């Protein structure tokens, strides 16, 4: 018998418990073991469930139980998850987590502790919910030198932007719908300010490039400044606005990492990813581009990835999975100047002077002329970002909004 403990009975934790219990026959047959949920740790009481007898509120019961071989951490946040996970690994228990905050900030350390104790630390569900992405990157794509990862990594913001685009719904109403559907984090700031997507790009980039990339090294911008007007302008230019996480390696091995609202050309596959769905594009030197698509959030989709990791741990109780990166350094991530096209929305009370400065800076360029709102909107030519920014800074504008684009 393999005894499992689950720490946390929120949205994901309850999904994991239900899946392990309801699909027990299938799971047992697949791993050729009797997989038994022994404890569920939560301070709250859950009466009336078929498994209400499994709840405990004292972590020490798990830490001190030598029969527990695998612990699922689905509490979220750093405290107390970090201490609990560390103690489980040090105690010779494999840990499976969906906690991207934990992996993005403590991943290198926890991987190293797992290695020292010859146990596994698996986190498939920490990126892309139910989408297989960690395992493909650490197995199927292992022969490649990864040069770029980009994608839609947050279901809540994609859902909100999609509601704004398709239903002309305002931001607050769309956020409330996302929360009602259980997609949003408890604190929606993590989603709408881009932190959740930032943590996910950190995990993917650390895996791809071999050293820990920390959240503070990623330029992160959320979607709170995106208005229905931006959505409408983007549409007129042939684009949709998406929150894109990206990590890229230059020819001289510099790494750039960002999360920002981006105008994605309507012909790009990522522009078609709607609602709570996520899509992650990985480019490798041998395979070229592969794209992973699926439900990036939600109780059972995420539980699916967690339980698969539990099953993988059972298959590797005496060996280690090759999921690895080492501690990073401040200089590992370095923004490098890249050729790009920028979206610029500029307004000025002195509209004629603004238009004159546009012509001086960018020559005879097409622009959306919204004289009524004293506003112009245009896409720059393609050039190095530093050059484009120099030109943009010469515009006679009272306010300027600049967004990146993706063709
Ligand atoms: N709040 C996250 C999202 C959940 O919306 O994508 C999954 O990480």
């Amino acid at each position: 018998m393999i005894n499992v403990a689950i720490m946390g009975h929120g949205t994901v934790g309850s999904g994991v418990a239900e899946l392990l219990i309801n699909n027990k026959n299938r799971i047992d047959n697949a791993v050729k073991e009797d997989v038994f949920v022994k404890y569920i740790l939560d301070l709250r009481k859950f009466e009336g469930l078929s498994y209400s007898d499994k709840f405990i509120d004292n972590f020490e019961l798990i830490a001190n139980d030598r029969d527990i071989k695998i612990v699922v951490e689905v509490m979220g946040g750093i405290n107390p998850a970090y201490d609990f996970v560390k103690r489980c690994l040090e105690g010779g228990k494999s840990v499976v987590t969906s906690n991207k905050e934990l992996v993005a900030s403590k991943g290198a350390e926890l991987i190293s502790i797992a290695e020292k104790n010859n146990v596994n630390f698996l986190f498939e569900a920490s990126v892309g919910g139910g989408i297989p992405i960690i395992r493909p990157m650490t197995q199927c794509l292992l022969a490649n030198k990864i040069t770029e990862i980009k994608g839609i990594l947050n279901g809540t913001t994609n859902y909100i932007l999609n509601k704004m685009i398709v239903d002309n719904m305002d931001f607050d109403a769309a956020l409330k719908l996302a929360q009602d559907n259980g997609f949003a984090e408890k604190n929606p700031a993590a989603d709408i300010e881009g932190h959740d997507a930032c943590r996910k790009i950190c995990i993917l980039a650390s895996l791809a490039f071999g050293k820990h990339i920390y959240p503070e090294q990623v330029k992160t911008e959320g979607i709170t400044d995106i208005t229905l007007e931006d959505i409408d302008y983007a549409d007129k230019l042939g684009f949709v606005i998406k929150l894109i996480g990206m990590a890229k390696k230059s020819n001289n091995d510099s790494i750039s990492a960002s999360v920002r609202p981006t105008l994605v050309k309507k012909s790009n596959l990522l522009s078609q990813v709607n609602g709570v769905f996520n899509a992650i594009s990985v480019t490798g030197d041998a395979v070229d581009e592969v794209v992973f698509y699926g439900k990036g959030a939600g109780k059972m989709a995420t539980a699916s990835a967690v339980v698969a990791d539990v099953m993988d741990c059972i298959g590797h109780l005496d060996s280690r999975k090759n999921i690895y990166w080492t501690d990073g350094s401040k200089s590992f991530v370095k923004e490098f100047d890249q050729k790009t096209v920028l979206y610029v929305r500029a307004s000025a009370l002195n509209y004629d002077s603004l238009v004159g400065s546009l012509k001086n800076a960018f020559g005879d360029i097409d622009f959306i002329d919204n004289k009524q709102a004293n506003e112009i909107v245009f896409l720059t030519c393609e050039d190095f970002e530093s050059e484009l920014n120099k030109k943009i800074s010469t515009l006679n504008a009272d306010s300027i909004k600049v967004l990146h684009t993706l063709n």
Side-chain angles (χ1 to χ4, degrees):
M1 182 190 283
I2 302 289
N3 287 297
V4 176
I6 302 171
M7 302 196 291
H9 191 259
T11 305
V12 179
S14 57
V16 171
E18 285 169 27
L19 197 54
L20 279 170
I21 291 164
N22 297 341
N23 283 16
K24 181 166 170 47
N25 283 345
R26 204 207 115 56
I27 291 166
D28 287 359
N29 285 338
V31 296
K32 300 187 177 57
E33 287 283 358
D34 175 8
V35 184
F36 181 72
V37 178
K38 186 164 181 185
Y39 303 122
I40 302 175
L41 178 71
D42 204 297
L43 295 177
R44 297 165 293 179
K45 293 266 170 284
F46 293 88
E47 313 281 357
L49 300 174
S50 65
Y51 54 89
S52 288
D53 55 322
K54 297 181 187 293
F55 282 88
I56 55 167
D57 57 10
N58 180 3
F59 167 70
E60 298 306 322
L61 283 175
I62 295 174
N64 297 327
D65 187 336
R66 297 172 73 106
D67 286 346
I68 297 283
K69 295 283 177 237
I70 299 165
V71 179
V72 174
E73 185 279 303
V74 278
M75 306 162 76
I78 300 291
N79 291 313
Y82 169 59
D83 286 334
F84 288 2
V85 167
K86 208 167 141 180
R87 282 191 56 201
C88 288
L89 294 171
E90 286 167 347
K93 304 179 194 307
S94 287
V95 174
V96 170
T97 185
S98 62
N99 186 339
K100 51 247 155 190
E101 193 176 356
L102 180 70
V103 183
S105 58
K106 306 284 185 190
E109 183 191 349
L110 294 171
I111 287 169
S112 153
I113 295 174
E115 191 188 16
K116 279 188 199 121
N117 291 280
N118 198 32
V119 291
N120 282 296
F121 177 58
L122 302 186
F123 42 86
E124 180 65 66
S126 66
V127 181
I131 306 172
I133 177 67
I134 305 288
R135 198 164 278 101
M137 282 185 70
T138 52
Q139 289 180 213
C140 319
L141 300 175
L142 201 53
N144 287 263
K145 179 178 174 193
I146 306 292
T147 51
E148 184 176 313
I149 304 165
K150 57 180 181 288
I152 294 167
L153 300 169
N154 182 269
T156 302
T157 45
N158 203 48
Y159 182 89
I160 293 172
L161 289 170
N162 200 219
K163 285 279 164 204
M164 291 171 79
I165 293 166
V166 177
D167 297 336
N168 209 31
M169 189 180 270
D170 73 31
F171 180 88
D172 292 336
L175 170 61
K176 173 141 193 335
L177 258 186
Q179 285 173 315
D180 290 348
N181 283 309
F183 307 140
E185 299 293 312
K186 262 186 235 151
N187 172 2
D191 291 306
I192 60 182
E193 289 172 9
H195 305 304
D196 177 76
C198 165
R199 289 164 190 151
K200 292 168 180 166
I201 200 70
C202 286
I203 297 170
L204 294 175
S206 303
L207 264 184
F209 305 133
K211 284 194 182 163
H212 200 126
I213 289 161
Y214 292 91
E216 49 281 13
Q217 295 174 305
V218 179
K219 271 199 202 163
T220 301
E221 209 183 303
I223 62 164
T224 49
D225 285 341
I226 300 300
T227 63
L228 285 172
E229 287 82 16
D230 290 313
I231 296 231
D232 193 40
Y233 286 135
D235 181 53
K236 289 196 169 86
L237 294 165
F239 290 77
V240 289
I241 300 182
K242 299 280 181 193
L243 186 68
I244 299 291
M246 181 165 331
K248 211 171 178 173
K249 198 168 200 175
S250 74
N251 289 338
N252 67 3
D253 282 351
S254 295
I255 285 172
S256 133
S258 61
V259 170
R260 54 195 169 203
T262 302
L263 272 74
V264 180
K265 201 154 197 178
K266 287 181 185 170
S267 55
N268 186 311
L269 199 59
L270 293 180
S271 76
Q272 315 288 328
V273 176
N274 293 322
V276 77
F277 280 79
N278 285 190
I280 305 158
S281 144
V282 182
T283 305
D285 59 350
V287 74
D288 206 339
E289 186 181 11
V290 283
V291 181
F292 301 85
Y293 170 85
K295 272 196 179 171
K299 172 173 164 169
M300 294 318 291
T302 310
S304 154
V306 172
V307 174
D309 270 355
V310 170
M311 294 165 76
D312 210 2
C313 280
I314 293 171
H316 292 84
L317 278 179
D318 299 314
S319 58
R320 295 213 59 252
K321 298 275 299 174
N322 182 26
I323 296 187
Y324 200 74
W325 65 75
T326 57
D327 205 3
S329 69
K330 280 209 171 101
S331 58
F332 189 49
V333 178
K334 212 179 288 161
E335 213 40 56
F336 53 92
D337 210 8
Q338 299 176 55
K339 280 202 163 178
T340 186
V341 172
L342 298 174
Y343 158 96
V344 184
R345 177 178 167 192
S347 63
L349 277 180
N350 190 340
Y351 182 78
D352 293 338
S353 160
L354 173 62
V355 173
S357 67
L358 170 69
K359 304 225 156 163
N360 285 339
F362 288 96
D364 194 14
I365 192 172
D366 282 344
F367 65 97
I368 297 173
D369 180 350
N370 189 354
K371 195 166 183 177
Q372 230 178 357
N374 283 331
E375 193 162 75
I376 59 169
V377 176
F378 62 97
L379 294 175
T380 66
C381 49
E382 188 181 33
D383 204 344
F384 284 102
E385 194 175 339
S386 60
E387 291 302 317
L388 294 175
N389 281 332
K390 269 187 222 157
K391 289 182 182 177
I392 292 167
S393 68
T394 67
L395 296 177
N396 290 336
D398 301 331
S399 81
I400 298 185
K401 179 184 274 184
V402 177
L403 296 174
H404 282 73
T405 66
L406 185 65
N407 270 333

